[in-house]
Amino acid sequence: MTTQQNRPATGQPDAFDKYPCYYGSDLELAYTPQRSVFTLWAPAADKVRLNLYASGADGEPEERLEMQSSDDGTWRVAAERDLKGTFYTFQIEKEGKWLDETPGIWAKAVGVNGDRAAVIDLRETDPEGWEADRAPELKMYSDIILYELHHRDFSVAPDSGIENKGKFLALTETGTKTPQGEASGLDHLKELGVTHIHILPSFDYATVDEARLNDKTYNWGYDPKNYNVPEGSYSTDPADPAARIREFKQMVQSLHRNGMRIVLDVVYNHTASVEHSNFNLTVPGYFYRHNADGSYSDASGCGNETASERAMVRHYIVESVKFWAKEYHIDGFRFDLMGIHDIETMNRIREELSKIDPTIFIYGEGWLAADSPLPPEKRAVRDHVGQMEGIAVFCDDFRDAVRGSTFEEHACGYASGNIGGHYEPVKFGIVGATQHPQVDYNGLLYSSVPYAAAPSQAVNFAASHDGYTVIDKLRLSVTGDRAEEELLPIDKLIHTILLTAQGVPFIRAGEEMMQDKQGEPNSFRSPDAVNQIDWALKAEHRGLFDYVRQLIALRKAHPAFRIPTAEGLRQWLRFLDTGDSGVIAYTLGEHANGDAWKEILVAYNGNRHPADQVIPQKDPRGNTLYWIGPPGDKRDAGPGTDFAAVDEGYVSVTPLHVDLTAHQAHEVVTDWLERVGVDRQW
């Protein structure tokens, strides 16, 4: 029996450090057809019992088995028969009181709503060809282009053309079309050309009732319940423990076959509840940080925060991530509020994942939502990323510089004409948050140091699931008589900067076709009408989609935009002196990073002013044509612009979309050529 001394005294959470640790690989179920051994780490328990059920949701236990105290704070019991298809829970007694039942913290299969764990043979969940499944080749982290999506948002719209709406299987369907004939779903992603699909939390979370999916309850999934099991609402049958696992693997397999890797958004920093969490029902208090008065600390803003620095918490997080990488072939992990975790834990994760596959990409939010008892010097925050080799953070300086402040909704950014104060933060994103002699780090928005040791440690983004979409932000901040017509060119400029900057670019699903969320900045519980991708927008904004697609193709074709080292950036990237023109310009020279082009000039003009005049004319049929007249202010031809580049002997590639082809005349001309016997070529 575990003795009283292994439990902390009330109000003394430091006593948790005295708990014995268990690092065996058999937590919490070791299954064979002949025998199932259950092992629970519960060092604070006085008694532990195992409850066996025929159903994943209803009914009384068919059997209760008393577990026996074992080594290093564990409790064990064995069933000498085949339990496949059985459901189970653990229950601990502490200080004379039986706590609520829990599936444990290591459950790998669960019934509906994740209240009971399930005994299954994981190998029976592997789709055909799973053993041969391999991710597409990735040579360098700097080659990554991230695309963030939510399963339900991406496919649930009536016009998506996708059969398995809101499900893992949506990303296995090919040939899907919008009513306008545009590719949707998986084919849309292939057409766009992104390399990594970042899926919002897809482990079993708490707030969606899997037994009442017709209620259309919505959540992003940042309320964890069972960390090692896929979410049931994204499967075709939440009551079948194997279905969600098999279908998740089918999704991964499909993405790999279609040239894309997959990133799992993980939320180890907090749980959906505290007192009734699986953590607290197994080892009360241990997995959480506490304030000096014994209350739960709350750096997550969700009521609690986990204690990653504690031995068995660290072990749990590391082993959980490894499980997803091995069992589900996950290619990357995005850590929610990574700053709540300690540096040592994150480095341990990197070390262990590199043993599995060194190309697995790790990145996260390099901040906290509130203060934490974890000492500041130990936090895995943005400014400490130099101590975490092979781990990246989101560059919020870049986001707020290009599009405007997240905290001031009406504030413009560089791309929307607010030039002052945004030069250096934009340049900071361009060099991937690394040290560069031409960046003034005193002029940044949130950072004060070049925290990245390599540009791939900076994830540049303009929008993500939380906060305003790009177009919603622009509609709030861009004002004036010409505001509406300016939105598209500003949007294009934002994506131009994003996809030509160094570091790793990140695109929120729908940004490539001007998807909005009706002005809602925090839509985690908003209905489908707010969150779903409106696939009709692809045809409506095909010009923007093609523009982003072409930028991605340009980035892939030219390694100069994907320099992997800070030393390479300092060697090849030179900012030009453009004075106060509003232009940011730089060159990538000397066949940068092995590029076929000897020198590339990149220039961004954040100024917003029209041409001097528009000239109306009539064509021979009497239709009015409008010709853009001469440029307005001479600043348009200043240093770093395309005009100046040409004057200096460069070739300037300017992001314009002009198609003068008379497509409607093709049939007429073809008929003429055939009648006169001329072979036609287009």
Side-chain angles (χ1 to χ4, degrees), residues 150 200 205 207-208 217-223 465-466 517 520-527 530-531:
H150 179 273
L200 263 65
Y205 57 85
T207 47
V208 172
T217 308
Y218 182 92
N219 205 281
W220 284 338
Y222 292 92
D223 52 340
H465 64 277
D466 52 358
K517 292 195 293 187
E520 173 57 61
N522 194 24
S523 64
F524 75 105
R525 286 183 176 173
S526 299
V530 172
N531 284 300

Side-chain angles (χ1 to χ4, degrees), residues 470-490:
V470 169
I471 191 62
D472 278 335
K473 171 64 176 175
L474 295 182
R475 284 170 178 159
L476 286 168
S477 57
V478 178
T479 59
D481 295 338
R482 300 176 60 249
E484 190 60 33
E485 62 189 84
E486 286 188 308
L487 296 181
L488 178 58
I490 294 173

Side-chain angles (χ1 to χ4, degrees), residues 86-99:
T86 301
F87 297 85
Y88 66 92
T89 62
F90 300 101
Q91 202 169 6
I92 75 167
E93 184 186 75
K94 189 173 188 293
E95 298 174 353
K97 179 184 178 182
W98 284 100
L99 304 187

Side-chain angles (χ1 to χ4, degrees), residues 172-412:
T172 69
E173 298 181 34
T174 59
T176 60
K177 299 285 186 182
T178 72
Q180 297 80 22
E182 300 282 359
S184 63
L186 180 64
D187 289 351
H188 171 86
L189 298 175
K190 290 175 64 178
E191 185 182 6
L192 188 60
V194 294
T195 68
H196 285 58
I197 306 305
H198 165 150
I199 55 173
L200 263 65
S202 300
F203 47 70
D204 186 57
Y205 57 85
T207 47
V208 172
D209 188 344
E210 297 171 2
R212 302 177 62 183
L213 295 181
N214 289 333
D215 292 353
K216 298 182 179 180
T217 308
Y218 182 92
N219 205 281
W220 284 338
Y222 292 92
D223 52 340
K225 186 171 183 176
N226 293 292
Y227 281 98
N228 298 314
V229 189
E231 165 62 17
S233 67
Y234 298 146
S235 75
T236 58
D237 187 359
D240 179 359
R244 63 180 74 191
I245 299 173
R246 183 180 301 107
E247 290 169 9
F248 189 102
K249 290 177 177 178
Q250 288 175 287
M251 173 190 65
V252 173
Q253 189 179 49
S254 171
L255 288 171
H256 285 171
R257 286 175 174 173
N258 285 279
M260 287 166 279
R261 291 185 165 217
I262 184 167
V263 174
L264 185 65
D265 198 329
V266 291
V267 192
Y268 295 107
N269 65 79
H270 74 276
T271 54
S273 64
V274 183
E275 295 300 337
H276 297 285
S277 72
N278 294 328
F279 285 154
N280 260 354
L281 294 176
T282 306
V283 192
Y286 179 85
F287 285 84
Y288 299 97
R289 293 194 186 119
H290 299 78
N291 297 313
D293 62 1
S295 62
Y296 291 108
S297 54
D298 185 18
S300 70
C302 299
N304 62 88
E305 62 180 291
T306 55
S308 62
E309 72 282 7
R310 204 162 285 151
M312 284 298 287
V313 183
R314 177 178 291 152
H315 176 65
Y316 179 80
I317 296 172
V318 172
E319 291 303 309
S320 177
V321 170
K322 287 169 59 179
F323 174 72
W324 282 100
K326 289 181 177 180
E327 182 67 29
Y328 291 96
H329 302 180
I330 296 298
D331 309 300
F333 296 89
R334 179 266 192 190
F335 282 79
D336 183 65
L337 292 177
M338 189 174 71
I340 292 175
H341 300 317
D342 66 291
I343 295 171
E344 184 177 344
T345 296
M346 294 307 304
N347 282 335
R348 185 77 61 81
I349 291 168
R350 175 71 275 172
E351 179 184 355
E352 291 299 314
L353 288 179
S354 292
K355 294 176 183 177
I356 300 169
D357 180 0
T359 68
I360 292 175
F361 189 50
I362 303 173
Y363 59 106
E365 294 179 302
W367 49 79
L368 306 79
D371 199 14
S372 170
L374 182 69
E377 67 273 12
K378 294 184 177 182
R379 299 173 185 174
V381 293
R382 175 183 55 219
D383 288 355
H384 294 160
V385 75
Q387 302 176 46
M388 298 181 285
E389 185 178 356
I391 297 175
V393 292
F394 285 95
C395 186
D396 49 344
D397 280 274
F398 178 89
R399 175 197 62 196
D400 284 13
V402 295
R403 72 164 209 182
S405 172
T406 295
F407 309 104
E408 301 174 39
E409 61 182 23
H410 297 293
C412 289

Side-chain angles (χ1 to χ4, degrees), residues 335-604:
F335 282 79
D336 183 65
L337 292 177
M338 189 174 71
I340 292 175
H341 300 317
D342 66 291
I343 295 171
E344 184 177 344
T345 296
M346 294 307 304
N347 282 335
R348 185 77 61 81
I349 291 168
R350 175 71 275 172
E351 179 184 355
E352 291 299 314
L353 288 179
S354 292
K355 294 176 183 177
I356 300 169
D357 180 0
T359 68
I360 292 175
F361 189 50
I362 303 173
Y363 59 106
E365 294 179 302
W367 49 79
L368 306 79
D371 199 14
S372 170
L374 182 69
E377 67 273 12
K378 294 184 177 182
R379 299 173 185 174
V381 293
R382 175 183 55 219
D383 288 355
H384 294 160
V385 75
Q387 302 176 46
M388 298 181 285
E389 185 178 356
I391 297 175
V393 292
F394 285 95
C395 186
D396 49 344
D397 280 274
F398 178 89
R399 175 197 62 196
D400 284 13
V402 295
R403 72 164 209 182
S405 172
T406 295
F407 309 104
E408 301 174 39
E409 61 182 23
H410 297 293
C412 289
Y414 172 82
S416 45
N418 186 8
I419 306 300
H422 290 129
Y423 275 93
E424 300 308 319
V426 173
K427 290 165 62 180
F428 183 63
I430 291 169
V431 300
T434 61
Q435 174 66 51
H436 193 282
Q438 292 180 286
V439 177
D440 180 3
Y441 297 93
N442 293 317
L444 304 183
L445 299 176
Y446 309 120
S447 306
S448 58
V449 295
Y451 49 76
S456 57
Q457 286 191 290
V459 176
N460 288 325
F461 70 118
S464 64
H465 64 277
D466 52 358
Y468 290 113
T469 68
V470 169
I471 191 62
D472 278 335
K473 171 64 176 175
L474 295 182
R475 284 170 178 159
L476 286 168
S477 57
V478 178
T479 59
D481 295 338
R482 300 176 60 249
E484 190 60 33
E485 62 189 84
E486 286 188 308
L487 296 181
L488 178 58
I490 294 173
D491 202 329
K492 285 185 173 182
L493 179 56
I494 289 172
H495 281 94
T496 301
I497 301 172
L498 173 67
L499 288 163
T500 55
Q502 304 293 323
V504 175
F506 174 104
I507 302 169
R508 186 195 72 90
E511 294 294 343
E512 70 278 14
M513 45 193 180
M514 213 175 278
Q515 174 77 39
D516 67 16
K517 292 195 293 187
Q518 303 174 32
E520 173 57 61
N522 194 24
S523 64
F524 75 105
R525 286 183 176 173
S526 299
D528 291 334
V530 172
N531 284 300
Q532 69 188 11
I533 298 295
D534 179 2
W535 286 99
L537 291 173
K538 185 173 182 180
E540 183 179 344
H541 298 300
R542 181 73 199 199
L544 176 62
F545 173 82
D546 283 339
Y547 185 75
V548 175
R549 175 179 59 81
Q550 291 161 359
L551 281 171
I552 290 172
L554 176 71
R555 184 179 185 90
K556 286 182 168 182
H558 290 279
F561 296 113
R562 299 177 279 111
I563 297 171
T565 66
E567 294 78 13
L569 282 181
R570 291 190 287 269
Q571 175 184 350
W572 292 313
L573 192 150
R574 293 286 183 272
F575 288 100
L576 305 181
D577 183 3
T578 59
D580 60 356
S581 66
V583 172
I584 297 174
Y586 60 93
T587 59
L588 296 163
E590 307 170 32
H591 296 286
N593 197 32
D595 203 290
W597 289 357
K598 181 178 180 180
E599 190 165 43
I600 301 172
L601 172 67
V602 182
Y604 315 121

Side-chain angles (χ1 to χ4, degrees), residues 53-71:
Y53 293 88
S55 166
D58 303 313
E60 295 296 314
E62 292 189 321
E63 188 175 4
R64 283 194 171 102
L65 302 175
E66 297 297 320
M67 301 182 72
Q68 302 301 310
S69 180
S70 186
D71 53 310

